[in-house]
DNA sequence: AAAATTAGATACATGAGTGTAGCTAATACT
DNA sequence: AGTATTAGCTACACTCATGTATCTAATTTT
């Protein structure tokens, strides 16, 4: 039995990371409903006994992997470019949505047997202290500086950008182009805060 | 062996309908990834042999069931109530989204192994000749009557209402209230077509 | 070096689901 | 009534996944 340890054994964090990466990949390919210990083990090149020593079922592996993701990057508004900052925030959202963690969260939220497992704590852990949607951070920053009346920043308005991006991702499965993101900003978000094409110039 | 035919045998359309109903219910409970012939058969109180005589796998049963759904009700705009007609259109969308067919379509679209099976023909079959989103029909009708400039009715604008409703359904799992639908119309759709609170009155 | 830990490997029993074959009984058609 | 069709039933062989037990070898710790 000469070659059964071609690669050194992984231990501790290295092993855990490999398993976390594996479950995030596996769920993208098969969805939550078809996630198995066998599938995760195969992808991580680790036996099920190793998985069962730590986790009792595949969804637990998945939630643990999400728990250990780095928090999502938060938009950092500049000084004077509402349009650009909104496009950038939406681009961050798209990047996150297409990340392994983002896709895994989406898979859980759309699985009838798992959505309830997405606890508030885990959600906050993934998103850290973001204070709401990607675009909300930007919008609040500019409202605070008087670019538009703060009372226009309602929950509906804060959701517009991400809602449109989400729907685009669902409808086409493809990421919106930068032109499409700009169109969302100009045609939907800015009019809602009174800065549409017919609005008085600030 | 006295009671093995307590209920008469179903044949033809009656049997098919029972199976269609069963698969639409089953997919709501378990999702596409866990859909099985066994599960459908149990729910329809019919053996798998009966299913296999007609269909080769559970997703085929599901797609066939969708194929035989009645087309979605289309909004019928009135003469002079843009706001009301938009709220009504969104309510129709919510009703459809929460219907067995609507939920089944959503389940397919969000399953990594099934989305590609939602062919264009089936999509059109489910939605009949709707000419676009629920709200687009209403918006086009009123643009044609000069209530707002037709060039503002872009693909982004046509999508705003349904995008926000979709996101709400995903985020909370619950249908939006009528107040929430009205807020979507007033805070997002109307501003985008130049009829927001700061717009000139038509 | 010895001891401790555990990753990796193997085996097993069980259950769920698949797909098929064959049969009988119920129902429709002639 | 006789014939044809097929729903419903049972059985089977097979695959995959589950969860567990046990063991050895690799690696870390003492």
């Amino acid at each position: 039995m000469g070659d059964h340890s071609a690669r050194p054994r992984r231990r501790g964090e290295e092993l855990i990371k490999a398993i976390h990466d594996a479950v995030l990949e596996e769920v993208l390919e098969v969805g939550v409903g078809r996630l198995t210990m066998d599938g995760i083990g195969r992808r991580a090149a680790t036996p099920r006994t190793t998985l069962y020593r730590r986790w009792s079922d595949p969804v637990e592996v998945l939630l643990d992997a999400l728990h250990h993701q780095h928090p999502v990057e938060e938009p950092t508004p500049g000084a004077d470019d509402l349009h650009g900052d909104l496009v950038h925030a939406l681009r961050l959202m798209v990047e996150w949505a297409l990340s392994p963690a983002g896709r895994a969260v989406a898979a859980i939220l759309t699985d009838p047997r798992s959505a309830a497992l997405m606890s508030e704590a885990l959600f906050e852990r993934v998103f850290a202290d973001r204070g709401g949607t990607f675009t909300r951070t930007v919008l609040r920053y500019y409202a605070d500086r008087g670019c538009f009346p703060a009372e226009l920043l309602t929950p509906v308005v804060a959701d517009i950008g991400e809602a449109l991006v989400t729907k685009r991702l669902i409808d086409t499965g493809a990421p919106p182009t930068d032109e499409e993101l700009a169109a969302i900003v100009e045609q939907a978000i800015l009019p809602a805060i009174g800065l549409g094409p017919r609005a008085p110039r600030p």
Side-chain angles (χ1 to χ4, degrees), chain A:
Chain A
M1 289 308 310
D3 208 20
H4 71 269
S5 56
R7 179 201 59 196
R9 291 186 171 192
R10 299 156 301 182
R11 279 177 179 268
E13 280 309 302
E14 181 191 4
L15 175 65
I16 299 291
K17 180 164 193 314
I19 294 169
H20 282 169
D21 291 345
V23 69
L24 292 175
E25 282 178 36
E26 185 71 6
V27 76
L28 298 196
E29 178 167 328
V30 304
V32 178
R34 296 186 194 87
L35 199 60
T36 64
M37 285 301 206
D38 229 34
I40 299 166
R42 252 187 255 111
R43 195 173 286 260
T46 210
R48 286 182 286 121
T49 43
T50 304
L51 299 179
Y52 279 115
R53 281 190 193 114
R54 292 169 174 79
W55 301 285
S56 60
D57 66 70
V59 171
E60 197 182 324
V61 187
L62 179 59
L63 293 174
D64 195 48
L66 283 178
H67 187 77
H68 287 88
Q69 286 294 306
H70 292 302
V72 184
E73 180 176 353
E74 182 167 4
T76 50
D80 201 8
D81 183 9
L82 174 59
H83 182 283
D85 284 346
L86 284 171
V87 170
H88 181 247
L90 290 178
R91 205 181 294 122
L92 283 187
M93 181 213 166
V94 171
E95 280 164 19
W96 174 76
L98 295 180
S99 73
R103 290 173 180 259
V105 168
I108 295 174
L109 289 179
T110 52
D111 178 57
R113 291 229 166 117
S114 313
L117 301 179
M118 196 72 197
S119 69
E120 197 61 41
L122 181 57
F123 210 76
E124 288 305 323
R125 166 67 193 180
V126 172
F127 288 103
D129 298 308
R130 278 189 42 223
T133 65
F134 286 85
T135 44
R136 186 190 196 102
T137 305
V138 172
L139 290 169
R140 206 199 294 103
Y141 174 87
Y142 282 95
D144 288 347
R145 278 157 180 68
C147 295
F148 65 90
E151 69 266 15
L152 290 182
L153 183 49
T154 64
V156 167
V157 174
D159 254 5
I160 293 177
E162 292 190 14
L164 284 160
V165 169
T166 301
K167 188 165 188 298
R168 177 57 50 85
L169 286 169
I170 293 173
D171 287 349
T172 69
T177 62
D178 274 3
E179 285 71 43
E180 285 169 325
L181 296 184
I184 287 169
V185 170
E186 290 150 23
Q187 294 166 24
I189 302 181
L190 293 182
I193 55 175
L195 299 177
R198 291 169 170 250
R201 282 295 157 221

